[in-house]
Amino acid sequence: MSQTSEAKQKLQHETLFKREKNNPILTAAHWPYPVNSVFNPGATLLEDGTTLLLCRVEDRSGLSHLCAARSKDGISNWVIDKKPTLLPSPTEYPEETWGIEDPRITYLPEKKVYAVAYTSYSMPGPTVSIALTKNFKKFERVGMVMPPLNKDAALLPHKICGKWAMIHRPTTSHYSHIWISFSADLDHWGDHKMILQARRGPWWDSDKIGLSPPVIKTSEGWLMIYHSVRHTASGAIYRIGLALFDLGCHQTCLRRSDTWVLTPEAGYERNGDVANVIFPCGYTIAEDGDTLRLYYGGADTCIGMVTGSLRELLSWLQGNSKVMDSDDISLRENNYD
Ligand code: BMA
């Protein structure tokens, strides 16, 4: 066997992501104030190379807020804000009455600001809010940008055909699919379009799918890392898959992985407050432009990190996906259940 085909042979989904040996890298025990759990962090690299995680922190009442943790190497010696970084503000923003969760961070170079899209847990159900920040100390809220039920939202870093774009996940009924919407001002959103549909039956990504971290711009298109929910007799399993999109003026899914690329296997992913959950909300890309670190919540309890190569993910996707057409025939038939 030639070296190249041997390398290809080895490129299985099990080897695409490598778990950090010090996982879980952050737990409630690290927190400077009493909390129940820390999970589902948004991530970004600050200008000086520091990794910033904006973590979802569930307090001991069950409600969540956001708290920033910073590390020079992105793995250890985290410096955690002494107090919550962004608390729900239900008086001014009633949609935050039951907390704020699952932040996704996108830097918008045109505005020189980080846009944080997060789930605000309103009494009628979860929905999507946006806040802007330059330093993760002061935040300017745009407010609720979608009616409930909706979550799993993140902005694209630049305008598409003159408009800001946001991917999100409205809940329709039993099945929940991934959508994109557009805005001139980050506040009012329209031109809604479904771009990826949950499969059905026994598929690993049947029932519900949602965007995990913000999409990643690559030479082959926008790479989406998405999570899937499959309901089983012993509860849901949250797994991770890949899709590649042309997100130009017409949004098309180019490829979608046949199988998952990451599934709960480690103890801290299988056991916790919610068993069998891997839920990434953020990533960083190293200076080489290839090394991807994915930060995720393990079992709604702690934070883990896996490392992969963008080049390998794209090459794996070429060989383990099909070009999208017939599977999405229901999109054309407007079958939105
Ligand atoms: C999803 C989100 C995540 C959570 C996951 C598993 O719906 O609410 O915050 O990690 O469920 O409980």
Side-chain angles (χ1 to χ4, degrees):
M1 198 185 286
S2 77
Q3 273 194 337
T4 339
S5 54
E6 212 175 319
K8 272 199 179 139
Q9 193 92 352
K10 280 194 189 137
L11 208 61
Q12 302 293 326
H13 75 79
E14 290 86 353
T15 54
L16 282 178
F17 286 108
K18 194 164 156 284
R19 284 174 175 78
E20 160 57 36
K21 65 178 180 343
N22 293 315
N23 273 353
I25 54 170
L26 280 167
T27 69
H30 291 95
W31 243 249
Y33 54 93
V35 303
N36 173 57
S37 48
V38 297
F39 53 115
N40 302 2
T44 195
L45 276 181
L46 300 176
E47 246 177 282
D48 66 354
T50 300
T51 299
L52 178 137
L53 298 186
L54 192 59
C55 309
R56 170 175 171 190
V57 175
E58 189 181 293
D59 67 22
R60 294 177 179 184
S61 73
L63 272 58
S64 294
H65 61 265
L66 309 182
C67 186
R70 295 168 175 81
S71 159
K72 289 254 176 293
D73 66 5
I75 299 171
S76 57
N77 298 318
W78 293 93
V79 179
I80 302 168
D81 281 359
K82 297 270 174 296
K83 291 191 279 189
T85 309
L86 187 66
L87 277 167
S89 183
T91 314
E92 216 182 331
Y93 300 92
E95 64 275 12
E96 299 185 1
T97 298
W98 284 343
I100 54 176
E101 310 179 346
D102 303 352
R104 274 86 168 181
I105 302 169
T106 307
Y107 185 66
L108 311 180
E110 185 187 315
K111 286 183 166 288
K112 295 194 175 55
V113 82
Y114 296 93
V116 183
Y118 57 94
T119 302
S120 41
Y121 199 165
S122 73
M123 289 169 81
T127 190
V128 174
S129 294
I130 295 176
L132 305 176
T133 183
K134 285 186 186 292
N135 51 19
F136 294 93
K137 291 182 179 130
K138 280 195 178 149
F139 292 80
E140 182 199 325
R141 275 174 168 83
V142 176
M144 174 167 65
V145 291
M146 291 282 164
L149 306 170
N150 203 318
K151 51 169 66 174
D152 302 329
L155 274 87
L156 270 66
H158 57 74
K159 289 179 181 159
I160 303 285
C161 292
K163 289 207 169 152
W164 296 106
M166 181 173 67
I167 296 177
H168 57 104
R169 207 286 303 280
T171 294
T172 32
S173 62
H174 179 66
Y175 300 97
S176 296
H177 315 300
I178 298 178
W179 291 62
I180 194 165
S181 300
F182 296 87
S183 171
D185 61 3
L186 295 178
D187 193 1
H188 304 90
W189 294 84
D191 302 327
H192 312 295
K193 182 178 172 189
M194 181 161 64
I195 54 169
L196 196 68
Q197 196 168 18
R199 285 184 264 216
R200 303 205 174 187
W203 276 91
W204 61 276
D205 56 353
S206 56
D207 303 335
K208 286 181 185 179
I209 54 170
L211 177 72
S212 265
V215 283
I216 305 168
K217 197 170 188 179
T218 75
S219 55
E220 295 183 29
W222 293 87
L223 180 66
M224 177 190 284
I225 300 175
Y226 71 95
H227 62 265
S228 67
V229 185
R230 183 182 169 197
H231 293 294
T232 76
S234 28
I237 308 177
Y238 280 69
R239 295 184 170 115
I240 303 305
L242 302 178
L244 190 67
F245 286 88
D246 174 351
L247 292 179
C249 295
H250 301 285
Q251 303 78 43
T252 328
C253 180
L254 306 171
R255 293 191 164 271
R256 177 185 197 166
S257 59
D258 298 328
T259 66
W260 64 76
V261 290
L262 201 56
T263 189
E265 281 172 2
Y268 52 87
E269 299 159 355
R270 284 205 164 271
N271 306 302
D273 280 0
V274 184
N276 293 317
V277 178
I278 290 189
F279 203 93
C281 289
Y283 64 80
T284 59
I285 296 174
E287 271 180 7
D288 62 9
D290 184 57
T291 308
L292 174 80
R293 284 177 164 181
L294 199 57
Y295 291 91
Y296 64 97
D300 283 12
T301 301
C302 60
I303 292 175
M305 191 268 278
V306 289
T307 306
S309 145
L310 277 179
R311 200 174 20 83
E312 285 188 3
L313 293 180
L314 290 168
S315 141
W316 180 89
L317 194 56
Q318 285 291 332
N320 294 275
S321 63
K322 64 174 147 50
V323 177
M324 294 297 293
D325 51 20
S326 56
D327 205 38
D328 262 10
I329 206 148
S330 47
L331 284 180
R332 293 201 291 272
E333 288 167 356
N334 277 346
N335 179 2
Y336 283 4
D337 68 342

